[in-house]
Amino acid sequence: MTGSGTNFGASEVESRPRNKCGGKLYIKTYGCQMNVYDSLRMGDVMKPLGYAPHDSFEDADLVILNTCHIREKAEEKVYSELGRIREEKQKKSARGEKMLIAVGGCVGQAEGEEIIRRAPYVDIVLGPQSYHQLPEMVTRAIRDGGGVVELDFPAVQKFDLLPESTSPQGVSAFLSVQEGCDKFCSFCVVPYTRGAEYSRPVNAIEKEAKNLVDQGAMEITLLGQNVNAYHGEGADGKIWSLADLITRLANIGGLRRIRYTTSHPRDMSDDLIAIHGSEPKLMPFLHLPVQSGSDAVLKKMNRKHDAAFYLDIIAKLRKACPDMAFSSDFIVGFPGESERDFEATMQLVKQMNYAQAYSFKYSPRPGTPAAVEEQIAEEIKDERLQRLQALLRDQQTAFNESCVGETMPVLLMRDGKHEGQLLGKSPYMQSVHVRNAESLRGQLVDVRITGAYLNSLAGEIAYTEHKIRKAV
Ligand code: 5AD
Ligand code: SF4
């Protein structure tokens, strides 16, 4: 879980006089891709008020921390970052300048007023459903000297009220199609912080997708906390599934790749499984969290599926699309997890052979049912996490190594670490480093994989080779 400054296009503007809207806007994003998307949209919302992106909180006029509440550490990181920002605010204040600080996202939603009590220099607290009201909140905070808290849940309104135009996101873009979750896994804060499931209408999504493609996107990742539960109003007024939506978006000419994340096994419907076999633009990689391999733990987690159900879905997906690769999330040390339960997780991982996966120690979240259960000792959690991560690392390395010698389409996205190197993305979400490819930046090209590491692949352009072969 990393934080990153968000740059959302446009150029810098001069600092404005005190008590006026506009100026330099710094947004720091924590957590999931939905937050990355929300940060971009916050930038879009603030643009008309004269706020332009700035890449650090130093000298910023408005700082927004777009936070994540899913695990404990992320929340503590927010408070320590606020401490650093406070010093900058004080420095600015000594110069007679103003800095507004806003805390948005899921920590904002969950903690509310508590944030202002703990960090009284914070001016605005808002939840993920209220950021369309940011301009009004900022104006109020400037007028009243802070203390603005907005935690309403008008999800429908939010998407309707956001500006239609979106900032360019480059060749690979995110698009939120669904929000919230009705699953209530017993460890998870999402149903409380993001609220009930809501699906955007197909027309609005299609418009946004076309806009992104016009601005250069070749790959779009459809986002939702429970994205495969998507059931939005279709172009014909009927309810459409995620499969219907993907089929529609696949008609957009310049769009070359479609992905979706994050999904729940229960919502992996037959039509969605089927289009993995029939829609070439849909990438053969799926993040489908299972959380645990033990049926007893899955029951306590209120996951509404057992291990066999999950494996059956995977088998159907592999049948529909034989070169499909998988990723998952795991929680170890969930209350009541015995050594045998943990072994069942290890067994499931061995059976699955993941291309990649995330694993976490259970972190009790206030207000969720599992938080009040008897907890597993920290050392046991640590030890299990290490064992699981060692296995997952081996699988990831083996998967990467299995790609060596293959030629695969890679979307060349940006500069690599070394000079003359570009970084691209394989169909399976692997980072691919390619040398001497500057002229192909932003393109989807065939790359022959020449080397494999834990977290990346090395490759060379296979494009010329094809051309020569065709010419011969
Ligand atoms: N403790 C640890 N991990 C959690 N996740 C969600 N809630 C918790 C928690 N309380 C993990 C799950 C989820 C991912 C986004 O974060 O694995 O799929
Ligand atoms: Fe949280 Fe995902 Fe479970 Fe919903 S399905 S409660 S978002 S873990």
Side-chain angles (χ1 to χ4, degrees), residues 441-456:
R441 178 190 290 271
Q443 293 187 35
L444 190 60
V445 292
D446 278 350
V447 169
R448 201 175 69 83
I449 304 303
T450 54
Y453 311 94
L454 172 60
N455 290 314
S456 65

Side-chain angles (χ1 to χ4, degrees), residues 181 183-185 187-188 190-191 225 264 291 303:
C181 182
K183 290 282 185 296
F184 289 91
C185 299
F187 52 81
C188 185
V190 166
Q225 261 90 33
H264 190 285
Q291 313 295 356
R303 285 290 292 178

Side-chain angles (χ1 to χ4, degrees), residues 402-414:
S402 75
C403 297
V404 175
E406 274 189 38
T407 296
M408 52 176 78
V410 172
L411 184 57
L412 296 175
M413 293 166 52
R414 56 174 171 274

Side-chain angles (χ1 to χ4, degrees), residues 95-167:
R95 297 198 299 267
E97 292 167 12
K98 211 174 169 71
M99 175 196 274
L100 284 183
I101 304 176
V103 177
C106 293
V107 175
Q109 187 69 42
E111 300 266 295
E113 306 259 356
E114 177 61 22
I115 295 178
I116 296 192
R117 265 196 290 279
R118 208 169 141 178
Y121 47 90
V122 169
D123 302 282
I124 299 168
V125 176
L126 67 155
Q129 307 304 339
S130 337
Y131 64 79
H132 58 291
Q133 297 173 48
L134 253 175
E136 189 206 325
M137 285 182 244
V138 166
T139 316
R140 256 164 58 203
I142 290 174
R143 193 191 60 209
D144 304 342
V148 181
V149 178
E150 194 55 76
L151 305 170
D152 276 358
F153 265 99
V156 183
Q157 250 184 15
K158 179 181 82 182
F159 283 112
D160 285 351
L161 298 178
L162 288 173
E164 256 186 29
S165 67
T166 48
S167 297

Side-chain angles (χ1 to χ4, degrees), residues 70-71 187-188 289 291 329-331 360-365:
I70 203 112
R71 282 172 298 274
F187 52 81
C188 185
Q291 313 295 356
D329 290 338
F330 292 93
I331 297 178
F360 314 99
K361 283 191 287 182
Y362 172 66
S363 156
R365 310 313 290 137

Side-chain angles (χ1 to χ4, degrees), residues 188-244:
C188 185
V189 286
V190 166
Y192 311 96
T193 57
R194 291 267 175 173
E197 252 175 35
Y198 166 73
S199 299
R200 296 177 67 189
V202 170
N203 283 344
I205 296 168
E206 194 178 18
K207 215 175 198 177
E208 194 168 322
K210 282 184 176 158
N211 187 15
L212 289 168
V213 171
D214 287 346
Q215 291 170 334
M218 295 169 83
E219 170 177 281
I220 292 183
T221 304
L222 306 177
L223 299 177
Q225 261 90 33
N226 191 6
V227 72
N228 61 339
Y230 178 88
H231 56 282
E233 186 191 332
D236 55 4
K238 297 197 176 116
I239 295 297
W240 284 23
S241 67
L242 185 63
D244 298 331

